[in-house]
């Protein structure tokens, strides 16, 4: 049942990303948004994030409803972007450490996988403008 919920969430999130995608503007620095779904200790976790200029921020909901923000640093490589991050979560969860990688298989789409100490293993799906 949890896999069905994760699948439905990814499909709905992708639809929302496509619906609200701005038109291409080469003269602007446009953030690259993503959605993330994962699991930690049997709980489904969610996050939304964006990156620009090799920095990123991710707002996530972790285990037991803890809400937090992670600040990420990306290593800019041509098709792959590894990252590390540090964040803070409520509900007594405290500091979180995260890391992962995002890969760009196409010009306008990227996928990723990561681990966050408060949100567990997660998968990411995002768009480039």
């Amino acid at each position: 049942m949890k896999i069905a919920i994760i699948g439905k969430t990814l499909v709905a999130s992708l639809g929302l990303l496509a619906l609200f995608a701005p038109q291409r503007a080469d003269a602007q620095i446009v953030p690259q948004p993503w959605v993330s779904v994962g699991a930690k200790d049997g709980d489904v976790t969610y996050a939304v994030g964006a990156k620009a200029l090799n920095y990123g921020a991710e707002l996530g909901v972790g285990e037991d409803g803890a809400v937090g923000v992670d600040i990420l640093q990306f290593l800019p490589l041509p098709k792959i972007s590894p990252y590390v991050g540090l964040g803070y979560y409520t509900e007594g969860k405290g500091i979180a450490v995260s890391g992962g990688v995002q890969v760009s298989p196409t010009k306008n789409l990227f996928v990723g996988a990561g681990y966050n100490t408060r949100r567990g293993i997660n998968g990411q799906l995002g768009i480039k403008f």
Side-chain angles (χ1 to χ4, degrees):
M1 179 168 164
K2 288 185 181 183
I3 293 175
I5 293 171
I6 291 172
K8 289 176 184 178
T9 303
L10 283 174
V11 169
S13 299
L14 182 60
L16 288 173
L17 282 173
L19 180 64
F20 294 111
Q23 298 299 318
R24 185 167 179 87
D26 290 329
Q28 297 178 0
I29 299 172
V30 180
Q32 299 172 4
W34 70 84
V35 295
S36 175
V37 177
K40 170 90 183 208
D41 296 333
D43 291 335
V44 177
T45 62
Y46 306 93
V48 293
K51 68 178 178 177
L53 302 174
N54 300 323
Y55 290 97
E58 195 169 37
L59 174 64
V61 178
E63 59 182 332
D64 301 328
V67 177
V69 175
D70 295 285
I71 303 301
L72 309 172
Q73 171 68 55
F74 288 85
L75 181 62
L77 299 173
K79 292 284 183 182
I80 187 169
S81 295
Y83 67 88
V84 294
L86 192 62
Y88 183 79
Y89 282 74
T90 63
E91 303 298 325
K93 299 299 180 187
I95 301 294
V97 177
S98 59
V101 64
Q102 292 180 342
V103 180
S104 299
T106 68
K107 182 178 176 185
N108 295 323
L109 179 72
F110 62 93
V111 294
Y115 179 77
N116 182 293
T117 56
R118 301 296 172 232
R119 292 185 289 110
I121 296 173
N122 57 73
Q124 304 156 1
L125 181 62
I127 341 177
K128 291 181 178 182
F129 301 111

